[in-house]
Amino acid sequence: MADRKCTSQSKRDLVVTRAGILTTPKDREVAEEDEEDECGLGIEEFLRDKNMLITGTTGFVGKLLIEKILRSQPDVGKLFLLIQGPNQEAVNKRLRHEIINAEIFKRLKEVHGSSYEAFMLSKLVPIVGHLEEDFLGMEEKVHKDIADNVDVIVSCAANTRFDERYDVALNTNTNGALRLVKLARRCRKLQVFLHVSTAYVNGPRTGLIKERAFSFGDSIAREEAMATHSQEIPPILDIGAEAKRINDALEGWAENTATPRMKELGLERAKIHGWPNVYSFTKAMGEMVIGSMSNDLPTVIVRPTIIGSTIQDPFPGWIQGLRMADPLIVYYGKGQLNLFTAEGKTIVDLVPADMVINAILAALVRHGSSGVAGLNIYQIGTSSINPLRFDELFNHCYEHYLSFPLIDSEGKFVHIEKMKLFDTLADISSYFSIGENGRLKKAKDMHILRKLSVTYEPYTSYKGRFDIANAKKLMKRMSRVERSNFTFDVAAIDWRDYIVNVHIPGLRKHIISGDAS
């Protein structure tokens, strides 16, 4: 056989040559696997000339994804970016201000020099759009242009508030996913649809949590009740009935009471079905919708755990906004949180953002190249292979702040103590009621503690470990060069070095104001 380049197209041709015909998707998958170890996934080659629609583009994950695509494959086609705004002029301004001028793109600026802006404008196409609206809020002409020209759709947008109004969260995280899949099914050239979810759609499952899909009607509470042979089996989860429940409630509520009552309803419905908050509940329903429509479309769901700052790419420590674990780290460094409700041995399932991006691109190319329809789930996290405990996290934080303390409002170095961890708030109250261990220095500190304890309770006592078997298989299919350029080898993370020398310095540079460094 003549020499050939290891590209996605050549692998497909080789399958045809060997087998004569592509008889079944399984045959095609097996034939490809023979070659992947030698050739890799062909990530850069696959991205060449591809037109992509990306949502959530002004967010943390979205920006990193755009940056990595443009830097690793400058010959990518058009990146259509769905951006919220009242009109085209507004989204054009957001494109320049929040993406083109963002610090995360400084390596691209170095590469392209004076032609940087022209390069970006030649690749990035801002589109007025809203996940919450029919047809994604697009104009009819734009919607048709997307359907005619897009090869790849990546869904990064989500409402991540734990205490969001139920109607808002469902419309974005569940119905928004439905609207995107409907668009995907209209795209005549589409090779793959990828949705970024969260590993915490699994709710309070315990043990090793497999990378398995949700089906319509699945309910964590129902699953647990059946597993324990409970006499009371909760009802199946009916997404349509949940939407009707919301509409009926809104019709009966006064406008000035709708927001708090809708938040209460969301939390109530989430807990009835076994999820800790409205975010993970509506994201799980979004996965159900996507899975139900993936039979004739190569579909990928990537479930990251707690996303932290970048560990190396495009540079260490970049972060946008306080991520899930970061308020604890910041309050601790400011001297406002020296005790907390968390079991010390509980795992903080943290994963650097650039590893999440690399896993997204690898999975996208893997299934975009194969052309095999169906749903594929990838969890990306560290709890099952390189766990970081809460007590270890705070020990690393203590080491950093002891050497490099923050400065308070009076210009003095903030003194911190080692974090004390308690199982419950009641245990903390008991601790303060004994002898001269006294009380918190400021009343607001207790308020912060209570608020954070309630918010983080589902995660500070989490018993599950997320299986990443599919992600590990994916890494094995990558070439040595790809594993270097697109690594998501979470086993290689040195947690002390990452927390002390990368993550907290990143928070200090990009998030914390009034810093000493």
Side-chain angles (χ1 to χ4, degrees), residues 97-119:
H97 178 67
E98 298 182 45
I99 297 178
I100 293 177
N101 294 336
E103 182 188 12
I104 188 62
F105 295 95
K106 71 178 185 181
R107 283 188 62 186
L108 271 173
K109 291 178 185 178
E110 293 169 358
V111 170
H112 293 279
S114 60
S115 62
Y116 166 74
E117 185 169 316
F119 168 75

mmCIF file with all atom_site columns, all heavy atoms in Angstrom, residues 97-119:
data_model
loop_
_atom_site.group_PDB
_atom_site.id
_atom_site.type_symbol
_atom_site.label_atom_id
_atom_site.label_alt_id
_atom_site.label_comp_id
_atom_site.label_asym_id
_atom_site.label_entity_id
_atom_site.label_seq_id
_atom_site.pdbx_PDB_ins_code
_atom_site.Cartn_x
_atom_site.Cartn_y
_atom_site.Cartn_z
_atom_site.occupancy
_atom_site.B_iso_or_equiv
_atom_site.pdbx_formal_charge
_atom_site.auth_seq_id
_atom_site.auth_comp_id
_atom_site.auth_asym_id
_atom_site.auth_atom_id
_atom_site.pdbx_PDB_model_num
ATOM 1   N N   . HIS A 1 97  ? -14.712 43.892 22.514 1.00 0.00 ? 97  HIS A N   1
ATOM 2   C CA  . HIS A 1 97  ? -14.366 44.178 23.905 1.00 0.00 ? 97  HIS A CA  1
ATOM 3   C C   . HIS A 1 97  ? -14.102 42.918 24.713 1.00 0.00 ? 97  HIS A C   1
ATOM 4   O O   . HIS A 1 97  ? -13.124 42.855 25.479 1.00 0.00 ? 97  HIS A O   1
ATOM 5   C CB  . HIS A 1 97  ? -15.494 44.990 24.561 1.00 0.00 ? 97  HIS A CB  1
ATOM 6   C CG  . HIS A 1 97  ? -15.251 45.282 26.010 1.00 0.00 ? 97  HIS A CG  1
ATOM 7   N ND1 . HIS A 1 97  ? -14.240 46.115 26.454 1.00 0.00 ? 97  HIS A ND1 1
ATOM 8   C CD2 . HIS A 1 97  ? -15.883 44.830 27.137 1.00 0.00 ? 97  HIS A CD2 1
ATOM 9   C CE1 . HIS A 1 97  ? -14.254 46.169 27.776 1.00 0.00 ? 97  HIS A CE1 1
ATOM 10  N NE2 . HIS A 1 97  ? -15.235 45.405 28.212 1.00 0.00 ? 97  HIS A NE2 1
ATOM 11  N N   . GLU A 1 98  ? -14.947 41.902 24.563 1.00 0.00 ? 98  GLU A N   1
ATOM 12  C CA  . GLU A 1 98  ? -14.887 40.733 25.444 1.00 0.00 ? 98  GLU A CA  1
ATOM 13  C C   . GLU A 1 98  ? -14.098 39.563 24.862 1.00 0.00 ? 98  GLU A C   1
ATOM 14  O O   . GLU A 1 98  ? -13.727 38.653 25.604 1.00 0.00 ? 98  GLU A O   1
ATOM 15  C CB  . GLU A 1 98  ? -16.308 40.274 25.777 1.00 0.00 ? 98  GLU A CB  1
ATOM 16  C CG  . GLU A 1 98  ? -17.113 41.323 26.532 1.00 0.00 ? 98  GLU A CG  1
ATOM 17  C CD  . GLU A 1 98  ? -18.497 40.833 26.900 1.00 0.00 ? 98  GLU A CD  1
ATOM 18  O OE1 . GLU A 1 98  ? -18.627 39.688 27.374 1.00 0.00 ? 98  GLU A OE1 1
ATOM 19  O OE2 . GLU A 1 98  ? -19.471 41.600 26.685 1.00 0.00 ? 98  GLU A OE2 1
ATOM 20  N N   . ILE A 1 99  ? -13.841 39.576 23.566 1.00 0.00 ? 99  ILE A N   1
ATOM 21  C CA  . ILE A 1 99  ? -13.099 38.464 22.966 1.00 0.00 ? 99  ILE A CA  1
ATOM 22  C C   . ILE A 1 99  ? -11.798 38.960 22.337 1.00 0.00 ? 99  ILE A C   1
ATOM 23  O O   . ILE A 1 99  ? -10.708 38.613 22.790 1.00 0.00 ? 99  ILE A O   1
ATOM 24  C CB  . ILE A 1 99  ? -13.973 37.715 21.936 1.00 0.00 ? 99  ILE A CB  1
ATOM 25  C CG1 . ILE A 1 99  ? -15.181 37.089 22.645 1.00 0.00 ? 99  ILE A CG1 1
ATOM 26  C CG2 . ILE A 1 99  ? -13.157 36.637 21.211 1.00 0.00 ? 99  ILE A CG2 1
ATOM 27  C CD1 . ILE A 1 99  ? -16.151 36.365 21.735 1.00 0.00 ? 99  ILE A CD1 1
ATOM 28  N N   . ILE A 1 100 ? -11.890 39.778 21.311 1.00 0.00 ? 100 ILE A N   1
ATOM 29  C CA  . ILE A 1 100 ? -10.680 40.196 20.585 1.00 0.00 ? 100 ILE A CA  1
ATOM 30  C C   . ILE A 1 100 ? -9.684  40.910 21.508 1.00 0.00 ? 100 ILE A C   1
ATOM 31  O O   . ILE A 1 100 ? -8.469  40.697 21.413 1.00 0.00 ? 100 ILE A O   1
ATOM 32  C CB  . ILE A 1 100 ? -11.057 41.090 19.383 1.00 0.00 ? 100 ILE A CB  1
ATOM 33  C CG1 . ILE A 1 100 ? -11.818 40.261 18.345 1.00 0.00 ? 100 ILE A CG1 1
ATOM 34  C CG2 . ILE A 1 100 ? -9.805  41.713 18.757 1.00 0.00 ? 100 ILE A CG2 1
ATOM 35  C CD1 . ILE A 1 100 ? -12.302 41.050 17.145 1.00 0.00 ? 100 ILE A CD1 1
ATOM 36  N N   . ASN A 1 101 ? -10.187 41.737 22.422 1.00 0.00 ? 101 ASN A N   1
ATOM 37  C CA  . ASN A 1 101 ? -9.297  42.486 23.312 1.00 0.00 ? 101 ASN A CA  1
ATOM 38  C C   . ASN A 1 101 ? -9.000  41.768 24.632 1.00 0.00 ? 101 ASN A C   1
ATOM 39  O O   . ASN A 1 101 ? -8.320  42.316 25.497 1.00 0.00 ? 101 ASN A O   1
ATOM 40  C CB  . ASN A 1 101 ? -9.907  43.861 23.627 1.00 0.00 ? 101 ASN A CB  1
ATOM 41  C CG  . ASN A 1 101 ? -9.981  44.749 22.404 1.00 0.00 ? 101 ASN A CG  1
ATOM 42  O OD1 . ASN A 1 101 ? -9.220  44.572 21.457 1.00 0.00 ? 101 ASN A OD1 1
ATOM 43  N ND2 . ASN A 1 101 ? -10.903 45.692 22.402 1.00 0.00 ? 101 ASN A ND2 1
ATOM 44  N N   . ALA A 1 102 ? -9.485  40.547 24.798 1.00 0.00 ? 102 ALA A N   1
ATOM 45  C CA  . ALA A 1 102 ? -9.301  39.828 26.054 1.00 0.00 ? 102 ALA A CA  1
ATOM 46  C C   . ALA A 1 102 ? -7.858  39.339 26.205 1.00 0.00 ? 102 ALA A C   1
ATOM 47  O O   . ALA A 1 102 ? -7.202  38.955 25.229 1.00 0.00 ? 102 ALA A O   1
ATOM 48  C CB  . ALA A 1 102 ? -10.260 38.642 26.122 1.00 0.00 ? 102 ALA A CB  1
ATOM 49  N N   . GLU A 1 103 ? -7.383  39.321 27.443 1.00 0.00 ? 103 GLU A N   1
ATOM 50  C CA  . GLU A 1 103 ? -6.000  38.935 27.733 1.00 0.00 ? 103 GLU A CA  1
ATOM 51  C C   . GLU A 1 103 ? -5.700  37.505 27.304 1.00 0.00 ? 103 GLU A C   1
ATOM 52  O O   . GLU A 1 103 ? -4.563  37.186 26.931 1.00 0.00 ? 103 GLU A O   1
ATOM 53  C CB  . GLU A 1 103 ? -5.720  39.078 29.227 1.00 0.00 ? 103 GLU A CB  1
ATOM 54  C CG  . GLU A 1 103 ? -4.281  38.749 29.600 1.00 0.00 ? 103 GLU A CG  1
ATOM 55  C CD  . GLU A 1 103 ? -4.054  38.703 31.101 1.00 0.00 ? 103 GLU A CD  1
ATOM 56  O OE1 . GLU A 1 103 ? -5.048  38.702 31.843 1.00 0.00 ? 103 GLU A OE1 1
ATOM 57  O OE2 . GLU A 1 103 ? -2.881  38.652 31.519 1.00 0.00 ? 103 GLU A OE2 1
ATOM 58  N N   . ILE A 1 104 ? -6.702  36.635 27.329 1.00 0.00 ? 104 ILE A N   1
ATOM 59  C CA  . ILE A 1 104 ? -6.495  35.225 27.011 1.00 0.00 ? 104 ILE A CA  1
ATOM 60  C C   . ILE A 1 104 ? -5.932  35.030 25.609 1.00 0.00 ? 104 ILE A C   1
ATOM 61  O O   . ILE A 1 104 ? -5.303  34.014 25.304 1.00 0.00 ? 104 ILE A O   1
ATOM 62  C CB  . ILE A 1 104 ? -7.824  34.445 27.167 1.00 0.00 ? 104 ILE A CB  1
ATOM 63  C CG1 . ILE A 1 104 ? -7.607  32.936 27.046 1.00 0.00 ? 104 ILE A CG1 1
ATOM 64  C CG2 . ILE A 1 104 ? -8.855  34.911 26.167 1.00 0.00 ? 104 ILE A CG2 1
ATOM 65  C CD1 . ILE A 1 104 ? -6.720  32.350 28.089 1.00 0.00 ? 104 ILE A CD1 1
ATOM 66  N N   . PHE A 1 105 ? -6.100  36.029 24.734 1.00 0.00 ? 105 PHE A N   1
ATOM 67  C CA  . PHE A 1 105 ? -5.639  35.894 23.351 1.00 0.00 ? 105 PHE A CA  1
ATOM 68  C C   . PHE A 1 105 ? -4.260  36.506 23.123 1.00 0.00 ? 105 PHE A C   1
ATOM 69  O O   . PHE A 1 105 ? -3.851  36.721 21.976 1.00 0.00 ? 105 PHE A O   1
ATOM 70  C CB  . PHE A 1 105 ? -6.656  36.537 22.393 1.00 0.00 ? 105 PHE A CB  1
ATOM 71  C CG  . PHE A 1 105 ? -7.976  35.844 22.386 1.00 0.00 ? 105 PHE A CG  1
ATOM 72  C CD1 . PHE A 1 105 ? -9.027  36.283 23.181 1.00 0.00 ? 105 PHE A CD1 1
ATOM 73  C CD2 . PHE A 1 105 ? -8.187  34.713 21.599 1.00 0.00 ? 105 PHE A CD2 1
ATOM 74  C CE1 . PHE A 1 105 ? -10.255 35.639 23.190 1.00 0.00 ? 105 PHE A CE1 1
ATOM 75  C CE2 . PHE A 1 105 ? -9.409  34.056 21.598 1.00 0.00 ? 105 PHE A CE2 1
ATOM 76  C CZ  . PHE A 1 105 ? -10.450 34.519 22.399 1.00 0.00 ? 105 PHE A CZ  1
ATOM 77  N N   . LYS A 1 106 ? -3.512  36.756 24.204 1.00 0.00 ? 106 LYS A N   1
ATOM 78  C CA  . LYS A 1 106 ? -2.231  37.452 24.032 1.00 0.00 ? 106 LYS A CA  1
ATOM 79  C C   . LYS A 1 106 ? -1.221  36.627 23.243 1.00 0.00 ? 106 LYS A C   1
ATOM 80  O O   . LYS A 1 106 ? -0.387  37.199 22.518 1.00 0.00 ? 106 LYS A O   1
ATOM 81  C CB  . LYS A 1 106 ? -1.661  37.878 25.372 1.00 0.00 ? 106 LYS A CB  1
ATOM 82  C CG  . LYS A 1 106 ? -1.140  36.778 26.275 1.00 0.00 ? 106 LYS A CG  1
ATOM 83  C CD  . LYS A 1 106 ? -0.568  37.380 27.565 1.00 0.00 ? 106 LYS A CD  1
ATOM 84  C CE  . LYS A 1 106 ? 0.084   36.320 28.437 1.00 0.00 ? 106 LYS A CE  1
ATOM 85  N NZ  . LYS A 1 106 ? 0.623   36.912 29.692 1.00 0.00 ? 106 LYS A NZ  1
ATOM 86  N N   . ARG A 1 107 ? -1.275  35.301 23.324 1.00 0.00 ? 107 ARG A N   1
ATOM 87  C CA  . ARG A 1 107 ? -0.339  34.497 22.527 1.00 0.00 ? 107 ARG A CA  1
ATOM 88  C C   . ARG A 1 107 ? -0.671  34.607 21.040 1.00 0.00 ? 107 ARG A C   1
ATOM 89  O O   . ARG A 1 107 ? 0.227   34.638 20.196 1.00 0.00 ? 107 ARG A O   1
ATOM 90  C CB  . ARG A 1 107 ? -0.367  33.031 22.966 1.00 0.00 ? 107 ARG A CB  1
ATOM 91  C CG  . ARG A 1 107 ? 0.386   32.772 24.264 1.00 0.00 ? 107 ARG A CG  1
ATOM 92  C CD  . ARG A 1 107 ? 0.513   31.302 24.567 1.00 0.00 ? 107 ARG A CD  1
ATOM 93  N NE  . ARG A 1 107 ? 1.269   30.561 23.564 1.00 0.00 ? 107 ARG A NE  1
ATOM 94  C CZ  . ARG A 1 107 ? 1.427   29.235 23.552 1.00 0.00 ? 107 ARG A CZ  1
ATOM 95  N NH1 . ARG A 1 107 ? 0.869   28.508 24.528 1.00 0.00 ? 107 ARG A NH1 1
ATOM 96  N NH2 . ARG A 1 107 ? 2.118   28.631 22.614 1.00 0.00 ? 107 ARG A NH2 1
ATOM 97  N N   . LEU A 1 108 ? -1.947  34.659 20.737 1.00 0.00 ? 108 LEU A N   1
ATOM 98  C CA  . LEU A 1 108 ? -2.334  34.867 19.332 1.00 0.00 ? 108 LEU A CA  1
ATOM 99  C C   . LEU A 1 108 ? -1.874  36.242 18.844 1.00 0.00 ? 108 LEU A C   1
ATOM 100 O O   . LEU A 1 108 ? -1.455  36.396 17.693 1.00 0.00 ? 108 LEU A O   1
ATOM 101 C CB  . LEU A 1 108 ? -3.849  34.748 19.178 1.00 0.00 ? 108 LEU A CB  1
ATOM 102 C CG  . LEU A 1 108 ? -4.412  33.353 18.895 1.00 0.00 ? 108 LEU A CG  1
ATOM 103 C CD1 . LEU A 1 108 ? -5.929  33.379 18.938 1.00 0.00 ? 108 LEU A CD1 1
ATOM 104 C CD2 . LEU A 1 108 ? -3.939  32.826 17.548 1.00 0.00 ? 108 LEU A CD2 1
ATOM 105 N N   . LYS A 1 109 ? -1.961  37.237 19.711 1.00 0.00 ? 109 LYS A N   1
ATOM 106 C CA  . LYS A 1 109 ? -1.491  38.577 19.342 1.00 0.00 ? 109 LYS A CA  1
ATOM 107 C C   . LYS A 1 109 ? 0.003   38.552 19.034 1.00 0.00 ? 109 LYS A C   1
ATOM 108 O O   . LYS A 1 109 ? 0.471   39.202 18.098 1.00 0.00 ? 109 LYS A O   1
ATOM 109 C CB  . LYS A 1 109 ? -1.772  39.566 20.475 1.00 0.00 ? 109 LYS A CB  1
ATOM 110 C CG  . LYS A 1 109 ? -3.246  39.868 20.704 1.00 0.00 ? 109 LYS A CG  1
ATOM 111 C CD  . LYS A 1 109 ? -3.424  40.826 21.877 1.00 0.00 ? 109 LYS A CD  1
ATOM 112 C CE  . LYS A 1 109 ? -4.900  41.043 22.181 1.00 0.00 ? 109 LYS A CE  1
ATOM 113 N NZ  . LYS A 1 109 ? -5.100  41.933 23.364 1.00 0.00 ? 109 LYS A NZ  1
ATOM 114 N N   . GLU A 1 110 ? 0.753   37.792 19.834 1.00 0.00 ? 110 GLU A N   1
ATOM 115 C CA  . GLU A 1 110 ? 2.190   37.687 19.593 1.00 0.00 ? 110 GLU A CA  1
ATOM 116 C C   . GLU A 1 110 ? 2.476   37.002 18.264 1.00 0.00 ? 110 GLU A C   1
ATOM 117 O O   . GLU A 1 110 ? 3.412   37.376 17.551 1.00 0.00 ? 110 GLU A O   1
ATOM 118 C CB  . GLU A 1 110 ? 2.837   36.907 20.743 1.00 0.00 ? 110 GLU A CB  1
ATOM 119 C CG  . GLU A 1 110 ? 2.806   37.631 22.086 1.00 0.00 ? 110 GLU A CG  1
ATOM 120 C CD  . GLU A 1 110 ? 3.216   36.735 23.239 1.00 0.00 ? 110 GLU A CD  1
ATOM 121 O OE1 . GLU A 1 110 ? 3.495   35.528 22.981 1.00 0.00 ? 110 GLU A OE1 1
ATOM 122 O OE2 . GLU A 1 110 ? 3.258   37.199 24.393 1.00 0.00 ? 110 GLU A OE2 1
ATOM 123 N N   . VAL A 1 111 ? 1.680   36.001 17.917 1.00 0.00 ? 111 VAL A N   1
ATOM 124 C CA  . VAL A 1 111 ? 1.886   35.270 16.667 1.00 0.00 ? 111 VAL A CA  1
ATOM 125 C C   . VAL A 1 111 ? 1.593   36.145 15.453 1.00 0.00 ? 111 VAL A C   1
ATOM 126 O O   . VAL A 1 111 ? 2.354   36.169 14.481 1.00 0.00 ? 111 VAL A O   1
ATOM 127 C CB  . VAL A 1 111 ? 1.005   34.001 16.637 1.00 0.00 ? 111 VAL A CB  1
ATOM 128 C CG1 . VAL A 1 111 ? 1.019   33.365 15.241 1.00 0.00 ? 111 VAL A CG1 1
ATOM 129 C CG2 . VAL A 1 111 ? 1.474   33.000 17.681 1.00 0.00 ? 111 VAL A CG2 1
ATOM 130 N N   . HIS A 1 112 ? 0.473   36.880 15.520 1.00 0.00 ? 112 HIS A N   1
ATOM 131 C CA  . HIS A 1 112 ? 0.011   37.611 14.334 1.00 0.00 ? 112 HIS A CA  1
ATOM 132 C C   . HIS A 1 112 ? 0.450   39.074 14.300 1.00 0.00 ? 112 HIS A C   1
ATOM 133 O O   . HIS A 1 112 ? 0.354   39.720 13.254 1.00 0.00 ? 112 HIS A O   1
ATOM 134 C CB  . HIS A 1 112 ? -1.513  37.527 14.238 1.00 0.00 ? 112 HIS A CB  1
ATOM 135 C CG  . HIS A 1 112 ? -2.017  36.147 13.962 1.00 0.00 ? 112 HIS A CG  1
ATOM 136 N ND1 . HIS A 1 112 ? -2.041  35.611 12.695 1.00 0.00 ? 112 HIS A ND1 1
ATOM 137 C CD2 . HIS A 1 112 ? -2.489  35.178 14.792 1.00 0.00 ? 112 HIS A CD2 1
ATOM 138 C CE1 . HIS A 1 112 ? -2.522  34.367 12.756 1.00 0.00 ? 112 HIS A CE1 1
ATOM 139 N NE2 . HIS A 1 112 ? -2.791  34.085 14.014 1.00 0.00 ? 112 HIS A NE2 1
ATOM 140 N N   . GLY A 1 113 ? 0.927   39.591 15.429 1.00 0.00 ? 113 GLY A N   1
ATOM 141 C CA  . GLY A 1 113 ? 1.439   40.957 15.444 1.00 0.00 ? 113 GLY A CA  1
ATOM 142 C C   . GLY A 1 113 ? 0.409   41.976 14.997 1.00 0.00 ? 113 GLY A C   1
ATOM 143 O O   . GLY A 1 113 ? -0.747  41.964 15.430 1.00 0.00 ? 113 GLY A O   1
ATOM 144 N N   . SER A 1 114 ? 0.811   42.854 14.090 1.00 0.00 ? 114 SER A N   1
ATOM 145 C CA  . SER A 1 114 ? -0.065  43.940 13.646 1.00 0.00 ? 114 SER A CA  1
ATOM 146 C C   . SER A 1 114 ? -1.280  43.448 12.856 1.00 0.00 ? 114 SER A C   1
ATOM 147 O O   . SER A 1 114 ? -2.242  44.188 12.682 1.00 0.00 ? 114 SER A O   1
ATOM 148 C CB  . SER A 1 114 ? 0.734   44.931 12.784 1.00 0.00 ? 114 SER A CB  1
ATOM 149 O OG  . SER A 1 114 ? 1.261   44.274 11.635 1.00 0.00 ? 114 SER A OG  1
ATOM 150 N N   . SER A 1 115 ? -1.240  42.207 12.392 1.00 0.00 ? 115 SER A N   1
ATOM 151 C CA  . SER A 1 115 ? -2.371  41.678 11.628 1.00 0.00 ? 115 SER A CA  1
ATOM 152 C C   . SER A 1 115 ? -3.348  40.894 12.514 1.00 0.00 ? 115 SER A C   1
ATOM 153 O O   . SER A 1 115 ? -4.275  40.246 12.013 1.00 0.00 ? 115 SER A O   1
ATOM 154 C CB  . SER A 1 115 ? -1.872  40.774 10.494 1.00 0.00 ? 115 SER A CB  1
ATOM 155 O OG  . SER A 1 115 ? -1.178  39.647 11.015 1.00 0.00 ? 115 SER A OG  1
ATOM 156 N N   . TYR A 1 116 ? -3.136  40.960 13.831 1.00 0.00 ? 116 TYR A N   1
ATOM 157 C CA  . TYR A 1 116 ? -3.962  40.181 14.762 1.00 0.00 ? 116 TYR A CA  1
ATOM 158 C C   . TYR A 1 116 ? -5.448  40.482 14.610 1.00 0.00 ? 116 TYR A C   1
ATOM 159 O O   . TYR A 1 116 ? -6.262  39.569 14.453 1.00 0.00 ? 116 TYR A O   1
ATOM 160 C CB  . TYR A 1 116 ? -3.520  40.449 16.196 1.00 0.00 ? 116 TYR A CB  1
ATOM 161 C CG  . TYR A 1 116 ? -4.514  39.973 17.231 1.00 0.00 ? 116 TYR A CG  1
ATOM 162 C CD1 . TYR A 1 116 ? -4.673  38.615 17.508 1.00 0.00 ? 116 TYR A CD1 1
ATOM 163 C CD2 . TYR A 1 116 ? -5.312  40.883 17.936 1.00 0.00 ? 116 TYR A CD2 1
ATOM 164 C CE1 . TYR A 1 116 ? -5.594  38.173 18.450 1.00 0.00 ? 116 TYR A CE1 1
ATOM 165 C CE2 . TYR A 1 116 ? -6.225  40.449 18.881 1.00 0.00 ? 116 TYR A CE2 1
ATOM 166 C CZ  . TYR A 1 116 ? -6.361  39.101 19.133 1.00 0.00 ? 116 TYR A CZ  1
ATOM 167 O OH  . TYR A 1 116 ? -7.281  38.674 20.060 1.00 0.00 ? 116 TYR A OH  1
ATOM 168 N N   . GLU A 1 117 ? -5.820  41.735 14.649 1.00 0.00 ? 117 GLU A N   1
ATOM 169 C CA  . GLU A 1 117 ? -7.246  42.077 14.600 1.00 0.00 ? 117 GLU A CA  1
ATOM 170 C C   . GLU A 1 117 ? -7.859  41.659 13.268 1.00 0.00 ? 117 GLU A C   1
ATOM 171 O O   . GLU A 1 117 ? -8.979  41.137 13.231 1.00 0.00 ? 117 GLU A O   1
ATOM 172 C CB  . GLU A 1 117 ? -7.446  43.575 14.828 1.00 0.00 ? 117 GLU A CB  1
ATOM 173 C CG  . GLU A 1 117 ? -8.922  43.962 14.914 1.00 0.00 ? 117 GLU A CG  1
ATOM 174 C CD  . GLU A 1 117 ? -9.129  45.379 15.411 1.00 0.00 ? 117 GLU A CD  1
ATOM 175 O OE1 . GLU A 1 117 ? -8.449  45.781 16.389 1.00 0.00 ? 117 GLU A OE1 1
ATOM 176 O OE2 . GLU A 1 117 ? -9.975  46.073 14.823 1.00 0.00 ? 117 GLU A OE2 1
ATOM 177 N N   . ALA A 1 118 ? -7.124  41.863 12.183 1.00 0.00 ? 118 ALA A N   1
ATOM 178 C CA  . ALA A 1 118 ? -7.633  41.460 10.867 1.00 0.00 ? 118 ALA A CA  1
ATOM 179 C C   . ALA A 1 118 ? -7.833  39.944 10.813 1.00 0.00 ? 118 ALA A C   1
ATOM 180 O O   . ALA A 1 118 ? -8.836  39.454 10.258 1.00 0.00 ? 118 ALA A O   1
ATOM 181 C CB  . ALA A 1 118 ? -6.664  41.911 9.769  1.00 0.00 ? 118 ALA A CB  1
ATOM 182 N N   . PHE A 1 119 ? -6.897  39.201 11.400 1.00 0.00 ? 119 PHE A N   1
ATOM 183 C CA  . PHE A 1 119 ? -7.031  37.748 11.444 1.00 0.00 ? 119 PHE A CA  1
ATOM 184 C C   . PHE A 1 119 ? -8.282  37.342 12.217 1.00 0.00 ? 119 PHE A C   1
ATOM 185 O O   . PHE A 1 119 ? -9.066  36.503 11.768 1.00 0.00 ? 119 PHE A O   1
ATOM 186 C CB  . PHE A 1 119 ? -5.784  37.127 12.077 1.00 0.00 ? 119 PHE A CB  1
ATOM 187 C CG  . PHE A 1 119 ? -5.941  35.671 12.425 1.00 0.00 ? 119 PHE A CG  1
ATOM 188 C CD1 . PHE A 1 119 ? -5.925  34.699 11.431 1.00 0.00 ? 119 PHE A CD1 1
ATOM 189 C CD2 . PHE A 1 119 ? -6.118  35.272 13.750 1.00 0.00 ? 119 PHE A CD2 1
ATOM 190 C CE1 . PHE A 1 119 ? -6.082  33.354 11.747 1.00 0.00 ? 119 PHE A CE1 1
ATOM 191 C CE2 . PHE A 1 119 ? -6.276  33.931 14.070 1.00 0.00 ? 119 PHE A CE2 1
ATOM 192 C CZ  . PHE A 1 119 ? -6.263  32.971 13.064 1.00 0.00 ? 119 PHE A CZ  1
#
